[in-house]
Amino acid sequence: MAELMVSAQKVHKHFGRHEVLKGVDLSVPPGQVVCIIGPSGSGKSTFLRCINHLEKIDAGIIEVDGDLVGYRRRGDKIYELSEREVAERRQRIGMVFQHFNLFPHRTVVENIIEGPIKVLKEDKVEVVARARELLRKVGLSEKENAYPASLSGGQQQRVAIARALAMRPKLMLFDEPTSALDPELVGDVLGVMRSLAEDGMTMIVVTHEIGFAREVGDHLIFMDDGVAVEAGDPRDVITNPQQERTRLFLSKVL
Amino acid sequence: MAQTDVEDVHKAHGVKPEAISAIPLRHPGRWVAVGVIALFMAMGLHTVFTNPRFKWSLQWQYFFSAQILHGVTTTLELTVASMAIGVTLGVILAVMRLSANPIVTGAAWFYIWVFRGTPLLVQLLIWANLGALFPTLGLGVPFGHQFFVKQTFTIIPSVAAALLGLGLNEAAYMAEIVRAGIISVGEGQAEAAASIGMRKMMIMRRVVLPQAMRVIVPPTGNETISMLKSTSLVAYVPYVELLFATQNIYTRNYQVMPLLIMASIWYLAITSLLMVGQYYVERYYAKGSRRQLPLTPLQKVKAKVSKFGVRR
């Protein structure tokens, strides 16, 4: 296993003329939970999407589990990966989206088994058993045959987490997983994420839940305007921010 | 169900209000419309039953004749085969138009431009007369030796001209319908599929197209009905289908109107069947998009009948 699960150096990204990321660094050892907070438009979601190559970076380097994201290094040259290779690398990285993005035409269990069966070509009986186990873990055993439209947002997001976990990822990315939920449903999703962290999953979580970042996070990054303004132990950053911008942001959200 | 819930609530609170007794709003416009439409219907029915020139018995005599039935069968076969060509090629063209490769996008755009921009009848006649432009067709090295050469009319008989004309034209329309369906599926779906390691082709096949079907099916039903009627143009290729068979009969017995009306009844009957089929296909693809599907007309009737029985 590589020393770092994720290593990003001087990552730059622009959309047209707008520079969204202006040199972001990040190191995530295996088993760590890193939370990224910051105002909207700060580039935190874009940065997360760069890690599994949903966005292509313009400059800098991102490595996941020792491999370059989107490229292959041979000698002193790097080669762009083919579409197939990009897809293969993504198998090891789970992602949970703000708007769940469950497949609406498939039932809960079909959503979960889709990847392992169609992408990893695993045995259906075994995958279904694993899917049931995951559903039990996220507390939705009785919803196995429901369609996503009949579930609440919090239930859908827990299914989305189960769908990502069914691929047995080494790394989980969470893109504002609770931002689209009613306040009373946030707790269930955060609970699932917390137990995932306790099981030793490496996680990068873009969130507005300061409480979750403080209690579950091993490391906290505050991003603003495309740069990591401040980083460190979540308790220190939250209770005693060193930068004025961090202080201003925290005073608004706490 | 909903009603009993409301009643329960009222019972629980002990305040069931009295039913509203108001004088209902009058709708005089409706009665006027009923009168006008009833008048027109009476006039229509009167002429249908009293005008001897409709020659209903003659129509009936030909309705299930071997010639007409052969025409109907051919019309149905042409519709199904041309739609199959149109849908298959249409999906390919739609995916091509959405490709990241500008050459592929351009080629699809050009195809649609040509086949949508010229009349179907003209296209059918061009396919039928291709031999005038290319007397022989062959396989071989481009600009070089040909290994296999044949007369065009043997390779493209009138049935092939009919299928090529109808199918290739339809593909241009289907391409736009399928493209509309594909772009109606949110980007998040493709991203979620990509995040579990799916490749582009699989994302299209397993995630995007099944959801696009909800948008694709209704206009495709239209296209199928339209295709059924467009097959009548094939009579000018010429190829024997329902209209051609009808013409064959009336050029001999001069009963033009009765036989054209008979053909129209056949077209209407098949169209009606297609509409029923479309209803159930749409229902199938609505799976997961609604919490509860509405009852089919058949289920509604059954429900009413059983309710009636219970009340008795």
Side-chain angles (χ1 to χ4, degrees):
Chain A
M1 191 182 276
E3 240 169 84
L4 289 176
M5 185 56 78
V6 180
S7 153
Q9 287 145 41
K10 301 195 172 52
V11 172
H12 284 257
K13 168 77 192 169
H14 57 79
F15 292 119
R17 285 190 156 178
H18 178 54
E19 196 160 27
V20 190
L21 300 175
K22 303 171 181 169
V24 181
D25 297 322
L26 175 74
S27 301
V28 187
Q32 239 194 21
V33 177
V34 173
C35 294
I36 306 177
I37 60 169
S40 29
S42 58
K44 51 193 195 309
S45 283
T46 304
F47 179 60
L48 194 75
R49 292 161 58 84
C50 289
I51 295 173
N52 70 349
H53 209 51
L54 282 180
E55 305 288 355
K56 223 173 170 176
I57 61 175
D58 297 314
I61 281 180
I62 304 180
E63 284 180 31
V64 173
D65 200 21
D67 290 322
L68 283 177
V69 171
Y71 303 92
R72 183 173 355 101
R73 192 182 276 123
R74 198 184 289 154
D76 54 353
K77 284 187 179 154
I78 62 169
Y79 298 86
E80 201 172 341
L81 291 183
S82 71
E83 192 250 335
R84 179 175 56 80
E85 292 167 313
V86 169
E88 273 168 14
R89 298 255 174 113
R90 284 199 188 111
Q91 294 168 10
R92 296 179 288 174
I93 309 172
M95 186 157 190
V96 174
F97 299 84
Q98 181 176 359
H99 296 288
F100 333 131
N101 298 348
L102 290 178
F103 306 134
H105 56 305
R106 301 200 187 282
T107 62
V108 163
V109 73
E110 285 169 351
N111 263 276
I112 298 173
I113 64 177
E114 180 77 8
I117 288 178
K118 293 294 164 185
V119 178
L120 301 177
K121 315 276 183 215
E122 291 182 49
D123 175 58
K124 185 168 177 183
V125 177
E126 189 208 322
V127 174
V128 169
R130 191 158 88 225
R132 293 211 171 105
E133 173 60 21
L134 284 166
L135 278 175
R136 199 187 52 75
K137 246 187 185 168
V138 300
L140 290 169
S141 290
E142 76 285 7
K143 296 291 184 186
E144 189 180 316
N145 294 314
Y147 280 99
S150 66
L151 302 182
S152 74
Q155 291 171 332
Q156 289 191 47
Q157 193 62 298
R158 284 183 278 155
V159 174
I161 294 172
R163 176 176 67 180
L165 291 176
M167 296 291 290
R168 295 202 245 245
K170 290 184 164 183
L171 166 70
M172 284 285 286
L173 307 175
F174 291 86
D175 187 6
E176 302 198 26
T178 57
S179 298
L181 299 179
D182 288 342
E184 55 178 334
L185 303 176
V186 169
D188 294 337
V189 172
L190 291 182
V192 168
M193 289 167 64
R194 183 188 297 258
S195 71
L196 196 57
E198 281 161 6
D199 291 347
M201 176 62 77
T202 314
M203 294 161 61
I204 303 178
V205 185
V206 169
T207 187
H208 291 295
E209 296 293 329
I210 306 293
F212 177 84
R214 182 171 45 210
E215 287 158 34
V216 183
D218 299 304
H219 191 76
L220 180 72
I221 296 170
F222 171 69
M223 274 183 73
D224 192 15
D225 199 23
V227 290
V229 174
E230 192 165 352
D233 184 274
R235 281 151 290 263
D236 296 344
V237 176
I238 290 166
T239 50
N240 188 21
Q242 301 299 307
Q243 300 288 329
E244 184 53 35
R245 273 195 282 178
T246 317
R247 199 168 302 150
L248 201 69
F249 175 76
L250 286 171
S251 72
K252 281 184 199 154
V253 296
L254 281 177
Chain B
M1 274 280 270
Q3 240 167 356
T4 51
D5 286 347
V6 174
E7 273 166 28
D8 288 346
V9 170
H10 288 321
K11 258 179 217 159
H13 292 267
V15 281
K16 179 166 179 179
E18 271 177 41
I20 295 170
S21 70
I23 293 157
L25 187 64
R26 309 244 175 244
H27 299 282
R30 287 185 194 174
W31 291 105
V32 175
V34 166
V36 172
I37 290 165
L39 181 68
F40 277 115
M41 275 181 68
M43 286 164 68
L45 286 172
H46 179 257
T47 181
V48 162
F49 282 109
T50 59
N51 187 340
R53 292 184 188 142
F54 276 102
K55 301 207 173 146
W56 294 108
S57 60
L58 179 103
Q59 287 192 32
W60 183 244
Q61 188 191 317
Y62 281 106
F63 203 76
F64 291 110
S65 67
Q67 274 173 296
I68 292 297
L69 284 184
H70 175 249
V72 169
T73 319
T74 317
T75 289
L76 284 173
E77 285 167 358
L78 278 175
T79 307
V80 171
S82 311
M83 279 312 287
I85 296 172
V87 170
T88 312
L89 198 53
V91 171
I92 295 170
L93 284 166
V95 173
M96 281 171 73
R97 267 205 82 175
L98 296 167
S99 156
N101 182 337
I103 304 296
V104 170
T105 313
W109 180 89
F110 181 79
Y111 180 98
I112 294 166
W113 179 63
V114 170
F115 281 89
R116 208 174 49 170
T118 52
L120 174 56
L121 183 53
V122 174
Q123 287 176 31
L124 280 166
L125 293 174
I126 286 177
W127 284 113
N129 295 293
L130 203 66
L133 190 59
F134 307 107
T136 60
L137 289 179
L139 269 177
V141 183
F143 307 107
H145 178 67
Q146 294 199 320
F147 314 113
F148 167 86
V149 184
K150 275 213 155 170
Q151 297 281 304
T152 299
F153 69 87
T154 58
I155 298 176
I156 307 188
S158 42
V159 61
L163 284 176
L164 282 168
L166 294 172
L168 299 190
N169 177 268
E170 185 56 36
Y173 288 93
M174 281 309 302
E176 291 295 276
I177 290 171
V178 173
R179 187 170 69 98
I182 290 173
I183 56 183
S184 77
V185 179
E187 252 181 300
Q189 287 293 313
E191 284 180 359
S195 79
I196 55 172
M198 282 194 183
R199 295 184 59 186
K200 278 181 187 160
M201 282 300 285
M202 189 186 270
I203 294 174
M204 189 53 78
R205 202 161 39 80
R206 301 275 312 167
V207 177
V208 176
L209 279 179
Q211 293 182 62
M213 286 306 274
R214 273 187 63 228
V215 173
I216 293 173
V217 166
T220 304
N222 267 348
E223 288 297 310
T224 310
I225 287 168
S226 170
M227 174 63 79
L228 174 78
K229 295 173 296 172
S230 300
T231 54
S232 63
L233 294 175
V234 166
Y236 297 92
V237 161
Y239 187 63
V240 183
E241 41 65 66
L242 179 52
L243 178 63
F244 195 96
T246 310
Q247 288 174 330
N248 269 347
I249 297 168
Y250 72 57
T251 46
R252 273 184 280 115
N253 66 6
Y254 303 109
Q255 303 296 336
V256 178
M257 279 307 279
L259 284 160
L260 283 177
I261 289 168
M262 182 215 64
S264 303
I265 293 172
W266 260 116
Y267 281 117
L268 257 179
I270 303 171
T271 306
S272 311
L273 273 179
L274 289 176
M275 285 166 70
V276 174
Q278 181 183 356
Y279 176 84
Y280 283 96
V281 175
E282 272 178 39
R283 226 178 120 80
Y284 174 80
Y285 283 107
K287 203 173 56 170
S289 64
R290 289 211 206 166
R291 292 192 184 168
Q292 200 154 24
L293 286 174
L295 294 178
T296 64
L298 203 67
Q299 286 170 334
K300 273 185 203 161
V301 170
K302 272 188 193 159
K304 271 203 181 126
V305 167
S306 67
K307 214 175 182 182
F308 200 65
V310 169
R311 251 186 228 158
R312 280 278 167 99

